[in-house]
Amino acid sequence: MNHPAGHKPLTILIAADTYPPNVNGAAQFGYRLARGMTKRGHDVHVLAPATESGASHTEAGGEWSVHRLRSHSTPTHEYWRICLPWEIRRDVSMLFDRIQPDVVHIQCHYMVGEYTLYEAVKRGIRVVATNHFMPENVNPFLPFPSWFKEIVAKNSWRDMGRVMGKADAVTTPTPLAAKAMHDHAFLRKVLPVSNGIDSSAYELKPGEDIEPHPHPTVLFVGRLAEEKHINVLIDAIAKTPVELNVHCEIVGGGEVKPALQAQAARLGLGGRVKFLGLASDEVLRIAYLRATLFCQPGTAELQSLVTLEAMSAYTPVLLADAMALPHLVDGGENGYLFPPNDSDQLAARITELLGLPSADLERMGKASRSMAEKHDINASLATFEALYYGALTEDLLAEYI
């Protein structure tokens, strides 16, 4: 294995506050980062909360080591678990003693990321910090009034700056997210590095023939959470012309699923809105390949890997004009933006696109694929590897936002 500037393989510790089997973008990135760095010849260790009650432990088997910290469930989230500082400090320190990491890569400024960073800084170990967080991601799980949530958000940004400001390098998936961290967390040097995607995984294999749906279908993939605004998509489906017979597939699980199912039934869409639940990689891949359009109505997306996956499958997209999503749309070329929470405009765009000749939709799908290929995961892995070695030039570092 060749490494930058002839460097030897590293022992890498990835600290993640959410990791599979959790289903969200940050968890998937942590998994793909571990897999990618392992394939590049490094000794990779992942540190994450345990998925159930019990002592800290190391999972058996696997291509890389996964170490689980004692954790506790939260009453407002179906799978999110928290680690308490006084319960994990010693275990984190003992893990450092055992594996002797060359570099630490934290994925969040919360407990696991924070105390792993503190241990690394104390030992003089290089730290890279990546942010996947927006305050809007946790708002639905805080049973407080809006004014109090604003205080929590302000404090969250402040804590992010305090923790990640100690890292040797700070990254986030998009330039827009980097600007938000600059403006709200007061981090002066944030490098936009795409989470990356393997586009080849979402195209037809040689000799493969996957039939499209018999009716136009709009696909959503993601956690069924308040900030995803899937209710807006369901409302929009109900507002499209009846003769178009527009269907919708929703892949994912989450706390608002019962409310969404009730909404679809109330609007008489029981036969046109299908909830697929949590899907395997292959089922998800086929859903992307069969869909006519992909829609992401969320308003707190730092990048949206699922949108990039859909684009890799040659699918036109309809995305809310919010956070990082505008970076994934070239208006009229691969899809359109619509005003956040505006089901009328979304319905109009769905109707407009489904009225186009198939050749135009095919052209837009090809444009989506071309845009997705710019987020090749190998380029992202190479950038992170260079950050681990401290091999990026001062000229590039000076371009941080």
Side-chain angles (χ1 to χ4, degrees):
M1 178 66 64
N2 293 321
H3 297 283
H7 289 291
K8 295 180 179 179
L10 299 168
T11 297
I12 302 168
L13 177 58
I14 299 170
D17 283 79
T18 178
Y19 187 75
N22 295 356
V23 181
N24 58 65
Q28 287 302 307
F29 172 76
Y31 175 84
R32 292 172 180 176
L33 177 65
R35 181 178 61 187
M37 289 301 166
T38 298
K39 289 182 177 179
R40 295 173 84 90
H42 300 290
D43 179 20
V44 176
H45 297 256
V46 173
L47 183 61
T51 57
E52 55 187 22
S53 299
S56 299
H57 63 279
T58 297
E59 294 181 351
E63 297 177 57
W64 54 89
S65 299
V66 178
H67 311 279
R68 297 287 186 173
L69 291 169
R70 180 187 294 274
S71 69
H72 303 271
S73 62
T74 57
T76 58
H77 197 284
E78 62 179 336
Y79 63 71
W80 190 272
R81 298 182 67 87
I82 60 171
C83 298
L84 302 177
W86 55 90
E87 291 183 339
I88 67 171
R89 282 194 186 109
R90 181 171 177 271
D91 291 335
V92 171
S93 180
M94 289 175 63
L95 181 64
F96 271 75
D97 289 339
R98 179 152 59 94
I99 69 173
Q100 297 289 310
D102 298 304
V103 64
V104 165
H105 189 169
I106 70 169
Q107 306 299 310
C108 184
H109 66 284
Y110 285 153
M111 296 302 180
V112 177
E114 180 178 7
Y115 286 93
T116 304
L117 176 142
Y118 290 163
E119 190 67 28
V121 170
K122 183 172 67 175
R123 296 172 183 243
I125 297 170
R126 184 172 179 80
V127 179
V128 175
T130 294
N131 177 50
H132 305 276
F133 165 83
M134 287 291 292
E136 290 84 350
N137 299 143
V138 298
N139 278 351
F141 311 110
L142 301 177
F144 306 122
S146 297
W147 64 267
F148 190 81
K149 290 182 180 182
E150 291 177 6
I151 294 175
V152 172
K154 184 176 180 179
N155 287 335
S156 294
W157 282 118
R158 184 193 65 194
D159 288 344
M160 181 192 299
R162 176 180 56 83
V163 174
M164 292 192 169
K166 299 178 186 298
D168 295 281
V170 182
T171 79
T172 196
T174 63
L176 194 88
K179 185 177 187 305
M181 293 170 69
H182 177 276
D183 293 344
H184 302 294
F186 307 109
L187 288 163
R188 301 303 176 190
K189 296 181 178 181
V190 182
L191 179 64
V193 182
S194 174
N195 285 335
I197 186 171
D198 179 7
S199 294
S200 65
Y202 303 97
E203 60 187 8
L204 287 174
K205 301 172 184 176
E208 186 178 34
D209 184 19
I210 296 177
E211 287 292 327
H213 290 286
H215 34 65
T217 300
V218 182
L219 176 66
F220 169 86
V221 176
R223 187 166 52 87
L224 307 190
E226 183 179 315
E227 75 271 18
K228 300 295 185 179
H229 301 291
I230 308 151
N231 60 308
V232 176
L233 172 58
I234 294 175
D235 277 342
I237 296 296
K239 293 175 180 179
T240 57
V242 175
E243 61 271 18
L244 284 180
N245 192 27
V246 181
H247 284 57
C248 180
E249 282 193 342
I250 296 174
V251 178
E255 61 277 2
V256 302
K257 183 176 180 178
L260 296 175
Q261 291 174 317
Q263 177 190 5
R266 184 174 65 253
L267 294 173
L269 299 174
R272 292 166 55 194
V273 176
K274 186 176 181 181
F275 293 84
L276 300 185
L278 297 175
S280 67
D281 289 345
E282 185 56 25
V283 169
L284 178 58
R285 173 179 172 274
I286 292 173
Y288 285 132
L289 289 168
R290 297 190 74 193
T292 314
L293 306 172
F294 179 83
C295 179
Q296 174 54 271
T299 54
E301 302 297 317
L302 282 184
Q303 182 168 44
S304 186
L305 280 175
V306 293
T307 300
L308 286 171
E309 290 169 355
M311 292 166 63
S312 295
Y314 295 87
T315 309
V317 297
L318 289 169
L319 311 179
D321 189 3
M323 279 306 295
L325 294 176
H327 291 277
L328 301 179
V329 173
D330 185 356
E333 292 299 313
N334 74 313
Y336 291 100
L337 297 171
F338 63 92
N341 298 309
D342 192 333
S343 60
D344 290 332
Q345 286 295 314
L346 177 55
R349 285 300 192 188
I350 292 172
T351 302
E352 177 185 351
L353 287 178
L354 295 181
L356 293 174
S358 58
D360 287 349
L361 286 177
E362 184 177 345
R363 172 186 55 79
M364 296 179 79
K366 289 179 179 179
S368 275
R369 171 63 183 226
S370 179
M371 291 179 67
E373 288 175 347
K374 297 176 183 177
H375 295 267
D376 179 66
I377 192 168
N378 290 311
S380 298
L381 291 172
T383 300
F384 283 118
E385 191 175 53
L387 287 171
Y388 295 164
Y389 284 115
L392 288 183
T393 65
E394 290 299 321
D395 288 342
L396 177 57
L397 296 178
E399 294 176 5
Y400 279 11
I401 292 178

